[in-house]
Amino acid sequence: VSEDRFLHRLFQRLPPRPEAVAIPAGDDCAAVRPEAGRLILLAVDQVIAGRHYVATGPGAAAPDLVGRKLLARNLSDIAAMGGTPRYALVACAVTPDLTADWLERVHDGILALARDWGVHLVGGDLATMPAGTVLSLTIVGDVAATHVVRRCGARPGDGLFATGQFGASFPTGHHLTFTPRCAEGRWLAENGYARAMIDVSDGLFRDAMRVAVASGVGVDLDLDRVPLRSPATDPLAAGGDGEDYELLVAVAPERESDLVAAWPFPEVPMTRIGEFSARTAPRMIGRDRGGMAINGRTGFDHFGGGSA
Amino acid sequence: VSEDRFLHRLFQRLPPRPEAVAIPAGDDCAAVRPEAGRLILLAVDQVIAGRHYVATGPGAAAPDLVGRKLLARNLSDIAAMGGTPRYALVACAVTPDLTADWLERVHDGILALARDWGVHLVGGDLATMPAGTVLSLTIVGDVAATHVVRRCGARPGDGLFATGQFGASFPTGHHLTFTPRCAEGRWLAENGYARAMIDVSDGLFRDAMRVAVASGVGVDLDLDRVPLRSPATDPLAAGGDGEDYELLVAVAPERESDLVAAWPFPEVPMTRIGEFSARTAPRMIGRDRGGMAINGRTGFDHFGGGSA
């Protein structure tokens, strides 16, 4: 299958384009009409064979789940800003021994999740490389300029809340099948509950620390309160492993009880797992862990193991 | 160097952000303010070690030229729509034996060319992979909705014009050092000369054919008139090799002499190399080549050599 033919077929099986897509995929660029008063959100994320999914052997991930994960990771970034995902561009660099069928099923997974979230594919690129497979996706979303949420808005005394559960993302398959928290992120932003927000991709500790550092505050994370995805999980491992794709939210103290009362997603736990503080060093609290420091190394770094 | 630290340092050495960048790189998404009345242009393109540049050995490409090429290819796509480039997001998947210095110099090349064109980097992702290196860049531009140019506007009788020269892109190093035709593309669009436009990345034949096919017309490409980058080049090879990053433009017959008279880029040749026709089969004309058909195979396909 040539690049041309593959992309042509891919673009042909897209659903009818939304009104806002002025020029669909297939020209040198796609063109979309922005909505007045809204900011355009932009992010890029990759999925790499052998790193973000098992590529070979009996435990190999189904290709549609690989594609699903690629888009879902990016949707999670839009969620963290309180935004709405709109468009995606996919670049694939694949080993020559991959079949066209594998690649088509990857795109099945992307397109199925895209349909669920009203995301339209507006661009693609495909190339072979000598070895290895890298899938990269750029997500384009938007958000009301008045409602966008950043990492840097947490203040001392704010509650640290988290959606969902943590830990064991790889053994449970959560990293392939998770539901990105777009609805929750948007609700939190539009109702003014989120003073700061982040999605947990690199580990609860590390991402909580990022919010604290960006906000110039400290954080006390109560490990005893972190909901665990799997009861057998060590909370310390759950905080470091990553790939949870849950939201961490800083909530002003006077809004906390409102938030708990109004939370409209009964199937998604919303838990207070800590508090931002005037101290600048993030730390863990809870039984047996009084004051253990959180640092960059306790997280989960996708760029590990190399000299680069 | 960890991903975090590398990206943090990278984002720190960016020039001051333009007014339109509401949230710079470093949050889960960047946020930019669109301009009223303009379409957002979106495209993605990749550069792969050993395919788009020589990665090892004495002829290895300088890393800053690799980064430069990555951005320049994408700028060329914006040029073909008549647009102005604004933002870029870069995703790198690199082999662990690459040094941080190599990767930093890649970004030096991206940032230097970005500065020349007023493009601001708003996102990045970095990961290691077992072998091979893939750099992917998403370009975001904009264009007045009234001036955007597509591939599909050519009509029978329109002149086929080309900027610059063709052929020998790899041996001359042109593929690493070319100037994307953004200024020319924008001028052609804003002054209403371009009924259809494309940038030549996959070969003159193939890309001329794409305009013809998208427009539902034929094209007679006069190989004797194609300006050659290197005098030793066989015109047939020059038409098939690709990586020229020149613009092909369909110009209405009544505008052709105006275009030639008004062309404000003295250092860039603008040459009439053919004509669109009512025939549907694209063909070459010229001495010794009367009626030779152009087809998808005479171009240059980046996705060659694999079974995928």
Side-chain angles (χ1 to χ4, degrees):
Chain A
V1 173
S2 81
E3 171 181 4
D4 254 19
R5 215 172 317 157
F6 183 87
L7 291 178
H8 183 73
R9 275 176 50 189
L10 172 65
F11 296 153
Q12 280 204 318
R13 62 197 182 97
L14 294 180
R17 66 183 202 247
E19 172 103 15
V21 176
I23 301 175
D27 258 274
D28 288 287
C29 298
V32 301
R33 284 184 204 92
E35 212 178 294
R38 290 177 77 84
L39 298 174
I40 308 283
L41 298 172
L42 299 163
V44 63
D45 218 341
Q46 307 178 90
V47 161
I48 296 176
R51 179 167 284 271
H52 299 105
Y53 64 93
V54 180
T56 51
D64 55 324
L65 289 182
V66 173
R68 187 191 188 284
K69 175 172 184 173
L70 176 66
L71 176 57
R73 285 169 67 106
N74 279 281
L75 294 179
S76 189
D77 283 324
I78 296 285
M81 309 296 289
T84 302
R86 303 284 183 193
Y87 312 109
L89 300 97
V90 181
C92 303
V94 300
T95 168
D97 54 300
L98 279 180
T99 62
D101 176 63
W102 187 90
L103 204 54
E104 204 162 303
R105 287 185 55 203
V106 165
H107 284 86
D108 287 343
I110 296 173
L111 294 181
L113 189 66
R115 203 168 303 126
D116 291 348
W117 290 100
V119 170
H120 198 75
L121 188 70
V122 295
D125 190 51
L126 174 60
T128 44
M129 58 186 301
T133 291
V134 182
L135 312 171
S136 148
L137 189 143
T138 297
I139 192 85
V140 182
D142 61 12
V143 63
T146 45
H147 286 142
V148 66
V149 183
R150 300 188 58 179
R151 297 179 179 179
C152 57
R155 298 183 211 168
D158 284 1
L160 170 64
F161 282 76
T163 61
Q165 289 108 356
F166 292 83
S169 183
F170 276 97
T172 60
H174 175 79
H175 75 112
L176 291 172
T177 59
F178 67 93
T179 299
R181 300 304 187 198
C182 294
E184 293 81 358
R186 210 166 115 175
W187 183 87
L188 287 161
E190 289 179 353
N191 292 284
Y193 287 111
R195 269 226 271 242
M197 197 146 60
I198 196 170
D199 81 308
V200 179
S201 52
D202 294 339
L204 173 58
F205 298 151
R206 179 168 294 179
D207 286 318
M209 192 187 73
R210 284 177 174 149
V211 174
V213 168
S215 301
V217 299
V219 66
D220 290 341
L221 196 156
D222 188 344
L223 218 49
D224 294 336
R225 296 185 185 274
V226 174
L228 300 177
R229 187 165 295 113
S230 164
T233 307
D234 170 15
L236 213 56
D241 283 349
E243 302 257 350
D244 299 296
Y245 303 105
E246 299 292 352
L247 296 176
L248 294 183
V249 196
V251 182
E254 67 273 18
R255 304 295 313 278
E256 290 189 21
S257 57
D258 275 8
L259 167 61
V260 173
W263 184 244
F265 305 97
E267 73 291 358
V268 179
M270 182 57 148
T271 314
R272 191 185 201 277
I273 60 169
E275 192 170 307
F276 292 93
S277 74
R279 299 174 67 255
T280 53
R283 62 178 185 177
M284 285 172 238
I285 59 170
R287 223 173 353 165
D288 308 328
R289 294 181 198 90
M292 195 190 288
I294 296 178
N295 60 52
R297 297 189 177 282
T298 52
F300 179 85
D301 193 339
H302 287 297
F303 192 67
S307 64
Chain B
V1 175
S2 81
E3 171 181 6
D4 254 20
R5 216 172 318 157
F6 183 88
L7 292 177
H8 183 73
R9 275 175 50 188
L10 171 65
F11 296 153
Q12 279 205 318
R13 63 196 182 99
L14 294 180
R17 65 184 204 245
E19 172 103 14
V21 176
I23 300 175
D27 257 275
D28 288 285
C29 298
V32 301
R33 285 184 203 92
E35 211 178 295
R38 292 177 77 84
L39 299 174
I40 308 283
L41 297 172
L42 298 163
V44 63
D45 217 341
Q46 306 178 91
V47 161
I48 295 175
R51 179 168 283 271
H52 298 106
Y53 64 93
V54 179
T56 52
D64 54 324
L65 289 181
V66 172
R68 188 192 187 283
K69 175 171 183 172
L70 175 67
L71 176 57
R73 285 170 67 107
N74 278 281
L75 294 179
S76 190
D77 283 323
I78 296 285
M81 309 296 289
T84 302
R86 302 284 182 195
Y87 312 109
L89 299 96
V90 181
C92 303
V94 300
T95 166
D97 53 300
L98 279 180
T99 62
D101 176 63
W102 187 91
L103 204 56
E104 203 162 304
R105 287 183 56 202
V106 165
H107 284 85
D108 286 343
I110 296 173
L111 293 182
L113 189 67
R115 205 169 301 127
D116 291 349
W117 290 100
V119 170
H120 199 74
L121 188 70
V122 295
D125 190 50
L126 174 59
T128 44
M129 59 184 301
T133 291
V134 182
L135 312 171
S136 148
L137 190 144
T138 297
I139 192 86
V140 182
D142 61 10
V143 64
T146 46
H147 287 142
V148 66
V149 183
R150 301 187 57 177
R151 297 178 179 178
C152 57
R155 298 185 209 164
D158 284 0
L160 169 64
F161 282 76
T163 62
Q165 289 110 356
F166 292 84
S169 183
F170 275 97
T172 61
H174 174 79
H175 75 113
L176 292 172
T177 60
F178 68 92
T179 299
R181 300 304 188 198
C182 294
E184 294 80 359
R186 208 166 116 175
W187 183 86
L188 288 160
E190 289 179 353
N191 292 283
Y193 288 111
R195 270 227 269 242
M197 197 147 60
I198 196 171
D199 82 308
V200 179
S201 52
D202 294 338
L204 173 58
F205 298 151
R206 180 170 294 181
D207 286 318
M209 193 187 73
R210 283 178 174 148
V211 174
V213 169
S215 301
V217 299
V219 65
D220 290 340
L221 196 157
D222 188 344
L223 217 50
D224 295 335
R225 296 184 185 275
V226 174
L228 300 177
R229 186 165 295 114
S230 164
T233 308
D234 170 16
L236 214 54
D241 283 349
E243 302 257 352
D244 299 298
Y245 303 105
E246 299 292 352
L247 296 175
L248 294 183
V249 196
V251 182
E254 66 274 17
R255 302 297 312 278
E256 291 190 20
S257 56
D258 273 8
L259 167 62
V260 173
W263 184 244
F265 304 97
E267 72 293 358
V268 179
M270 182 56 148
T271 314
R272 192 184 200 277
I273 60 169
E275 194 170 304
F276 292 93
S277 74
R279 299 173 67 256
T280 53
R283 62 177 185 175
M284 284 173 239
I285 60 171
R287 221 172 353 161
D288 308 330
R289 295 180 197 90
M292 194 190 289
I294 296 177
N295 61 52
R297 298 189 177 280
T298 52
F300 178 84
D301 193 339
H302 287 296
F303 192 67
S307 64

